[in-house]
Amino acid sequence: MAANLGLRGKSVLALLVACLLALIPASLIGWKAVDEVRRHFATAYAEQYTLLQMQRITAPVSRELALSRRFANSVVTREWLRQPEDPERRERFFAEAEGFRQQFGSNAYFIIDHATHDYYFADQRDAEPSPRYRLDAGESQDAWYFAAMASTSTYNIDVSHDRKLDRSMLWVNVKVRDNGELLGLAGGALDLENYLSRVIRTGAPGLTSMIVDPRGILQAHPDQSRLALGSNSHPFEADSQQHIQSLVDNAQQREALRQAMQAVVRRPGDIRGLEVEIDGEHRLLSVGYVPELQWLLVTTLDMQAAPLFEGRWFWPLLGALLLTLAILTGAFAYAAHRLILSPLKRLTLSAQAITHGDYSLPLPAERHDEIGELSQAFSHMARQVEDHTRNLASQVRERTHELETAHTAMAVAHKQLGDSIQYASIIQRAILPDAQLRQHLGADHAILWKPRDTVGGDFYVFRATPSGYLIGVIDCAGHGVPGALMTMLARAIIDNAIAHEGADDPAAILNEIDHQSRQLLPEAQLPSSIATNMDIGLAWVEPNAGRLTYAGAKLDLYASDGHHVDCIKGSKRALGHRRPIRYSNRHVPIHPGWSYYLCSDGFLDQAGGEHGFGFGNRRFERLLTTLAAEALDDQIKAFGSALDDYRGDHPQRDDITLLIFCVTSAGDEPPSSPLSPSQT
């Protein structure tokens, strides 16, 4: 019996050990699942909170903009700016301006008389209706006003410190116009310190909000010592501790943060999240962009401090882990959705509805936590905006209907135009001899063809015969649709000229093209503003004879072996010039291993660099020396990269074509000098 009890005890012990061993992986799997759920809800919580904070940033500005437009468009305002010295108009204006001042968010307004440049400002501290100072175009601190008046925008939002008034404000600048004439600039202002403190102050545990500009300089942070005061006026004075990147420990994470900031700037409305280490602690970071203010809102979430998940109840119920895990996970999901995500979603939907003029959505104001307080404040703001908006509702509806009608018509026209241009691009690409070049030259050619628009005025030609081939680049006057139409006409003329003169005489082809284009487009029947000239470079290549014949109209042929650069000059006059000339051939021997280059002026004239100068022939020739010994495909990639690096932020000025070819077989005895041109 004792033996049976011993065996039973051992069996129980073995079963207990087996259960414990089975619970270890189950516990690990369950904990991993709970941790993944926690991360999911933490990410959603951080993103929704960031969206809510962005709405808190934009809502006061939207209200201030609506009031500023009413203030600037007021008949009383325009009448006074017409005759500012009229006592009756002056008294009537300042009486109405005082009413607007009491409605503005910080009880402050300003107005500038464009005729005299007098600057008026009034707030709670000083509401005296008199000029504070006079703007001077020669002073750098007043340059903002003259730039704003010269722009085409009807309003702009500026965050700056007025040193003469000693006030840091968010200014809403709206132009005052009367029958198209600029009378001045007017609007409201929000106290910057109060405005930013409302955004970064939060009672939500574990959450920290920061505001940075697109350069990463901190504009609002709980730690005031990290702020770069005056960084908008002096962007290079901010030290490294005043950048958002200085908070992140890991260099790879700093690069990920920089990419996330760039992504949300390109796509406003998106929220990007990533995990980072800040001061040695793990944080969930969310980034959003406010385009109206050109600010980024960065929110960090400490998942340990935030009320996202309570795991203390997990351990006492370890014996029933597999069952309770599903129940508690579902309960947590329901609680998080009901207590956090659902109210935040309702706030987000309400904010979006308010921006469209719908104030009927209810807010969760009955709660007594931070979300309830925020909902009450948001509801109060919504009622105020609704009161001010109701007075303008009929006028806004009428103008909105007109704008929607015009927008619909413009959208239809834009789509039709876009479809037509895309179709034109397909047609234009069909005339390019890419298939023939691949068939006859293969790896012995490479092309960089970049129209400025979807279609362009550059194209290239190729015609192979048993004794050689004709290759060339054509740059028609104009770009976009006009240039593309010119390419179609030019291609037809060139094909006719080659059929008439043969492919082995480039100069005769140029003369025939010039003759036919003058007949088709007589100068006397065209307006003086329309250009029909063409820059052309044609090369007839005879590989077995080891000879190349070139003729050009304002295009030169370059050649290089990586050590020397030679240039076969074309004529200085384009085809279709008002003073016609006879074009002539230049014969040069072919040197195997050299690369030959035909380039339109769009490449050489592309603006870039520090001063916006053109790329230029010297820089182009240095590239030839550097790249000529490499494979042609690698050369094209290097040319494209070099041009993009030089261009930087400058727009593409013209259509760009670069054609490179080389000759793998030549005559039996190649000459010692590869380019010794003779002219016929």
Side-chain angles (χ1 to χ4, degrees), residues 135-421:
L135 296 164
D136 185 356
E139 294 190 16
S140 59
Q141 62 183 358
D142 296 337
W144 67 269
Y145 169 74
F146 300 96
M149 298 302 283
S151 71
T152 58
S153 300
T154 59
Y155 76 93
N156 74 299
I157 298 172
D158 181 36
V159 179
S160 63
H161 176 75
D162 192 315
R163 285 182 286 179
K164 295 179 181 178
L165 298 176
D166 192 23
R167 286 172 172 83
S168 295
M169 310 287 279
L170 185 148
W171 310 90
V172 180
N173 307 317
V174 181
K175 292 180 180 179
V176 182
R177 293 179 180 271
D178 190 13
N179 294 327
E181 180 183 355
L182 279 174
L183 300 181
L185 198 68
L190 293 173
D191 183 80
L192 190 59
E193 182 177 356
N194 294 335
Y195 174 66
L196 294 181
S197 65
R198 287 198 302 269
V199 176
I200 64 173
R201 186 188 302 126
T202 174
L207 282 165
T208 303
S209 296
M210 297 167 279
I211 294 177
V212 300
D213 66 9
R215 299 165 294 173
I217 299 176
L218 291 165
Q219 303 295 318
H221 189 277
D223 183 1
Q224 296 294 316
S225 64
R226 289 186 177 273
L227 298 185
L229 298 177
S231 63
N232 288 330
S233 302
H234 305 283
F236 300 104
E237 294 183 1
D239 60 33
S240 60
Q241 294 301 314
Q242 295 167 342
H243 285 74
I244 183 68
Q245 289 85 351
S246 66
L247 303 177
V248 181
D249 299 337
N250 185 277
Q252 186 176 3
Q253 294 175 354
R254 287 196 292 269
E255 176 62 20
L257 173 58
R258 184 186 67 81
Q259 294 178 0
M261 292 169 61
Q262 292 178 349
V264 297
V265 169
R266 288 192 297 266
R267 300 189 64 180
D270 283 2
I271 300 296
R272 293 298 176 98
L274 62 155
E275 297 184 10
V276 297
E277 297 288 333
I278 296 180
D279 296 331
E281 297 182 358
H282 187 75
R283 293 289 187 271
L284 184 62
L285 187 145
S286 299
V287 184
Y289 181 58
V290 183
E292 295 86 352
L293 301 177
Q294 295 185 345
W295 279 348
L296 291 100
L297 177 66
V298 180
T299 303
T300 62
L301 173 64
D302 183 356
M303 292 188 290
Q304 301 299 325
L308 294 170
F309 188 78
E310 288 291 340
R312 291 176 295 178
W313 44 259
F314 178 75
W315 300 109
L317 302 177
L318 185 60
L321 176 63
L322 295 177
L323 177 62
T324 58
L325 182 63
I327 298 175
L328 292 176
T329 301
F332 173 77
Y334 175 78
H337 178 75
R338 181 179 178 83
L339 299 178
I340 300 175
L341 299 180
S342 181
L344 289 177
K345 183 64 175 178
R346 290 169 62 188
L347 283 175
T348 301
L349 293 175
S350 298
Q352 293 174 348
I354 288 173
T355 60
H356 294 88
D358 182 7
Y359 303 89
S360 61
L361 288 179
L363 297 176
E366 69 277 2
R367 296 177 55 169
H368 301 288
D369 56 5
E370 291 80 2
I371 294 180
E373 294 175 0
L374 178 61
S375 299
Q376 292 174 4
F378 192 88
S379 179
H380 176 68
M381 181 206 69
R383 287 194 298 270
Q384 289 184 331
V385 173
E386 182 180 13
D387 292 339
H388 295 305
T389 304
R390 188 181 296 111
N391 299 326
L392 298 173
S394 60
Q395 184 179 1
V396 169
R397 283 195 298 269
E398 180 181 348
R399 293 181 179 177
T400 301
H401 176 71
E402 295 174 356
L403 288 174
E404 289 176 348
T405 302
H407 180 268
T408 302
M410 289 177 62
V412 172
H414 184 269
K415 185 179 185 304
Q416 292 175 346
L417 180 60
D419 293 344
S420 298
I421 292 177

Side-chain angles (χ1 to χ4, degrees), residues 472-490:
V473 169
I474 297 90
D475 180 3
C476 298
H479 38 70
V481 174
L485 292 175
M486 280 296 297
T487 64
M488 306 302 290
L489 179 61

